[in-house]
Amino acid sequence: MATTVRRAVLNLPAAPLGPENPLPVLCAPVEAHTLDERSREGLPRDMARQIGYEPLRSLLPVRLRDGYQRRRKEHGFEAVVLENAHLRVTVLPGLGGRVHSLVHVPTGRELLYRNPVFQPANFALNGAWFSGGIEWNIGATGHTTLSCSPVHAALVPAPDGGVMVRLWEWERLRDLPFQVDLWLPQDSEFLYVGVRVRNPHERTAPVYWWSNIAVPEDPGTRVLAPADEAWHFGYERALRRIPVPRWEDEDRTYPLRSEYPADFFYEVPEGARPWIASLDAEGRGLVQTSTARLRGRKLFVWGSGDGGRRWQEWLTEPGTGGYAEIQAGLARTQLEHVRLEAGAEFSWLEAYGPLAADPGAVHGPDWASARSAAEAALAAALPHARVEEAYEAWRGAADTEPGERLAAGSGWGALEVLCGGYELPGTPFEAAGLGEAQAPWLELWRTGVFPAPRRVAPPGPSLVAPHWRDMLETAPADPLTEYHLGVAQWHAGDVAQAVRSWERGLALAPSRWPLLRCLAVADALAGDPARAAQRYAEAFDDLAEESRGGEPWTAAESALGREAMTAMLAAGRLPAARAVWDRLRPALREEGRFRLLAARLLAAEGHVGAARRVFEEGFELPDLREGDEVLSEVWSRITHRPLPATYDFRMRPPT
């Protein structure tokens, strides 16, 4: 059977993504994967250096995706299917290029964990993320901001004379273009994936990459990798070196033998072939291997505890089975960023396919024998020399210009290429891809003037790279320009200048709430919660007066209302928080995020019984953040009863 590539539609019960949050993300989100400072002592020097290298100051210029809910209905997703006699691969270009399914054709066996629904949850750096399949994580520690965004896709001649699917996009947190090429040689039992990340700038750039593979989590499943040690990272934010496979009297290579969610970053020896496999009780499953550039290997487990199981239900349909993640990355751990020199690139080749090894050895008591059995099976199925040959052949095709287009990504890469004059063979970001979001920035570049909006609406997204900041500084200083300039200055770390720009804009702004909200954030971070609460009160009043019908305005009210009430509760400004609640649209008050705020407000006002009834009546918090313990914290303030299972998302041992 010759390899074929075809378009398809994947129908799934899906929760709509909803609108973007229109408020600029001035602060980096509270990231669960942050290392406690005390844990850095004694780390290998290169690891410690890379953990401290260029952490995110904010998510700018990316916006939050938090408009989703949990009501699902059937939806058709555009898909691309690659197939030969051995494998059938389903790719979703509209959702970050995620590989949704990898089926072993002769047996009909799914090698990945294939989520039967599309349910966004708050795991990506910018919010919306979904579980299952293989995702391509680029940007910074965490799940990519492209998790639920479209990428460009096209057909390209494959190194073996067939055809491959190229995915590419401009990653905006680090301003870097990347590509992912997928192809199935005609007689291959392995999917080949060529990856390239380029730095077209005249400055170094921090790079983060982890290929994240969801695999079925069965009691008999064991994860194997070529390591005798691992770095354990739990939600207590400590990194410690532990032995593999046994630690604290349990074999941690079986995902369900850990109680709490945790990362195990394997210490793969220098020069060893990098690989990781998930094999069931019969010794069958999936293996991933690569060229040496992709050095890191990791196992993530949800664990057997109540919180981990609740998260598993939250991300899919109850009763459909859980999953673990095996991953491969550029560094030892996901807490690190790797330096990429100006004008340079990183590239490597990955391979994914079925693996069958002697189950007696794989699940035997001797770890070295178990590893050797898996490694020998991999060597027989896919010799390392063949991976190296495939990589060299792919490098010769990496610059080939794409042919038939399969999907379109965003217009941000086209804007950056046009303004920067970059030459990126193989990944064209064409001017035809520019859209409405890029239009005002294109006009700024062409004329030196940031245009006034054609209609009253919440401000569009800000750009913050140095060249855009320079253009804003020389543009005529109208209120909207001052707003965007302040956001760019804030991103650069010049807080005082940002505040001055927002204050200048405020004096003449017909729409004051965007500027007041930015100033409120600055007040809160400066340690003045009372002033922040007052600014938020003024901002929400102004928005309520200006707001119109339609999704963008509802999204603005929801986002600003949540921030305002949270700030007012922190400052003890209860009447002000109640005033915001009273001005909310009735439909917003029924959403889970505002039901939780209502419970917090009632408890602060002394109405503990009423606050408890909010929980008893039931609500869901669609955008509950990974690692966030707000539900258990609020519950513990209003009652001494055990936390109901439906609200138990705790990911670490009680402290």
Side-chain angles (χ1 to χ4, degrees):
M1 176 181 174
T3 300
T4 62
V5 178
R6 68 180 188 275
R7 299 172 186 262
V9 175
L10 175 67
N11 292 300
L12 292 176
L17 278 167
E20 288 186 333
N21 185 320
L23 306 182
V25 191
L26 298 178
C27 306
V30 179
E31 175 52 50
H33 299 91
T34 302
L35 187 62
D36 185 290
E37 285 294 330
R38 292 169 296 179
S39 297
R40 298 193 185 193
E41 299 175 6
L43 295 180
R45 185 174 300 176
D46 63 329
M47 182 189 291
R49 182 178 64 251
Q50 291 182 164
I51 287 174
Y53 176 49
E54 292 289 339
L56 287 181
R57 291 192 296 266
S58 76
L59 287 184
L60 295 167
V62 175
R63 287 181 153 189
L64 286 180
R65 300 293 300 264
D66 60 2
Y68 50 87
Q69 297 292 333
R70 293 187 57 80
R71 294 181 294 275
R72 297 192 285 264
K73 60 182 180 181
E74 201 73 11
H75 179 78
F77 294 92
E78 296 295 325
V80 179
V81 179
L82 300 84
E83 185 170 6
N84 66 7
H86 303 282
L87 292 175
R88 182 166 61 251
V89 187
T90 303
V91 184
L92 303 177
L95 295 172
R98 181 80 60 101
V99 175
H100 174 72
S101 171
L102 182 64
V103 173
H104 184 231
V105 173
T107 62
R109 176 174 182 160
E110 175 63 68
L111 299 177
L112 305 174
Y113 168 74
R114 180 171 58 193
N115 198 331
V117 304
F118 173 73
Q119 178 55 64
N122 194 356
F123 279 70
L125 285 164
N126 63 331
W129 172 86
F130 65 105
S131 64
I134 306 172
E135 61 176 316
W136 318 109
N137 286 306
I138 181 173
T141 299
H143 292 280
T144 176
T145 61
L146 294 166
S147 292
C148 293
S149 297
V151 297
H152 301 280
L155 299 181
V156 182
D160 64 346
V163 66
M164 63 184 175
V165 174
R166 174 163 300 162
L167 310 169
W168 73 99
E169 191 43 282
W170 193 277
E171 200 288 310
R172 301 180 67 211
L173 290 179
R174 303 303 196 181
D175 259 344
L176 300 176
F178 71 96
Q179 73 188 74
V180 177
D181 289 352
L182 305 101
W183 84 100
L184 279 172
Q186 181 171 330
D187 59 349
S188 176
E189 293 190 349
F190 283 80
L191 169 69
Y192 289 148
V193 181
V195 183
R196 176 165 63 169
V197 181
R198 288 188 274 196
N199 179 8
H201 307 293
E202 296 178 354
R203 52 178 167 77
T204 58
V207 174
Y208 172 93
W209 184 282
W210 281 80
S211 300
N212 184 356
I213 309 129
V215 291
E217 173 203 63
D218 299 316
T221 294
R222 191 178 205 185
V223 171
L224 301 104
D228 294 313
E229 292 183 308
W231 295 91
H232 173 273
F233 183 82
Y235 286 78
E236 308 92 330
R237 299 187 176 182
L239 190 64
R240 70 189 88 176
R241 193 194 294 258
I242 65 170
V244 175
R246 296 189 68 82
W247 176 58
E248 294 185 343
D249 297 324
E250 281 290 353
D251 188 329
R252 306 293 173 166
T253 60
Y254 290 88
L256 286 172
R257 296 188 187 177
S258 293
E259 184 176 2
Y260 292 96
D263 299 326
F264 297 90
F265 298 105
Y266 294 112
E267 186 70 41
V268 179
E270 188 92 21
R273 180 179 186 180
W275 60 272
I276 189 166
S278 173
L279 303 180
D280 65 13
E282 297 177 349
R284 298 180 181 277
L286 174 76
V287 66
Q288 187 270 1
T289 186
S290 70
T291 49
R293 171 68 72 182
L294 207 64
R295 63 173 293 188
R297 291 299 185 275
K298 168 192 161 181
L299 164 65
F300 168 76
V301 300
W302 284 107
S304 59
D306 293 339
R309 306 329 295 170
R310 182 71 180 103
W311 273 116
Q312 293 264 34
E313 294 176 352
W314 189 252
L315 296 171
T316 184
E317 290 281 12
T320 56
Y323 73 96
E325 293 172 357
I326 58 175
Q327 304 186 22
L330 282 175
R332 278 192 183 97
T333 74
Q334 289 175 327
L335 310 178
E336 304 168 65
H337 299 112
V338 181
R339 181 185 180 98
L340 180 58
E341 298 299 330
E345 65 180 50
F346 288 144
S347 65
W348 62 90
L349 186 111
E350 305 180 44
Y352 297 82
L355 192 69
D358 175 16
V362 165
H363 296 284
D366 183 67
W367 174 242
S369 297
R371 273 177 32 202
S372 296
E375 196 150 23
L378 172 60
L382 185 67
H384 185 58
R386 194 183 303 166
V387 176
E388 294 291 341
E389 291 166 3
Y391 171 67
E392 292 302 327
W394 169 73
R395 289 293 297 143
D399 284 351
T400 303
E401 289 303 307
E404 179 187 345
R405 301 305 167 93
L406 302 172
S410 77
W412 295 113
L415 182 68
E416 295 299 338
V417 167
L418 181 64
C419 298
Y422 303 123
E423 295 290 334
L424 298 169
T427 55
F429 294 94
E430 295 157 339
L434 293 165
E436 183 179 353
Q438 293 81 41
W441 298 95
L442 186 61
E443 186 167 337
L444 172 65
W445 177 66
R446 285 175 171 164
T447 68
V449 177
F450 196 88
R454 296 178 181 176
R455 62 183 183 278
V456 178
S462 299
L463 296 184
V464 296
H467 53 283
W468 294 111
R469 187 173 72 248
D470 291 344
M471 285 183 247
L472 289 166
E473 285 176 346
T474 58
D478 62 77
L480 184 57
T481 302
E482 295 284 18
Y483 163 80
H484 288 299
L485 174 59
V487 173
Q489 291 166 331
W490 178 277
H491 177 72
D494 196 342
V495 173
Q497 282 287 11
V499 168
R500 281 194 285 271
S501 294
W502 292 327
E503 288 177 339
R504 283 196 306 268
L506 195 60
L508 298 174
S511 181
R512 293 166 51 84
W513 64 267
L515 294 151
L516 285 165
R517 181 266 177 177
C518 290
L519 291 167
V521 174
D523 290 334
L525 291 178
D528 194 340
R531 189 174 183 187
Q534 181 57 38
R535 298 262 208 198
Y536 269 119
E538 295 174 23
F540 194 80
D541 284 345
D542 186 68
L543 173 59
E545 292 294 330
E546 184 181 30
S547 186
R548 291 151 167 76
E551 195 175 67
W553 289 104
T554 302
E557 284 188 41
S558 176
L560 187 58
R562 280 176 278 150
E563 283 193 16
M565 288 189 68
T566 301
M568 291 162 182
L569 288 168
R573 297 280 301 275
L574 305 186
R578 176 61 63 185
V580 171
W581 173 266
D582 290 341
R583 297 195 73 169
L584 285 170
R585 302 182 190 211
L588 289 178
R589 293 184 205 167
E590 297 304 314
E591 293 183 356
R593 39 181 77 95
F594 283 105
R595 298 292 291 160
L596 177 62
L597 282 167
R600 293 178 60 191
L601 177 56
L602 287 165
E605 292 172 333
H607 307 304
V608 174
R612 191 164 55 245
R613 281 194 295 275
V614 173
F615 277 80
E616 291 167 350
E617 290 167 1
F619 65 88
E620 291 185 322
L621 202 62
D623 59 339
L624 180 66
R625 185 73 181 163
E626 174 190 12
D628 194 341
E629 298 179 351
V630 63
L631 289 171
S632 57
E633 290 169 357
V634 175
W635 178 258
S636 67
R637 292 191 205 118
I638 60 178
T639 180
H640 294 296
R641 289 185 291 175
L643 181 68
T646 189
Y647 300 121
D648 189 356
F649 293 89
R650 291 171 292 190
M651 301 180 76
R652 60 175 179 164
T655 56

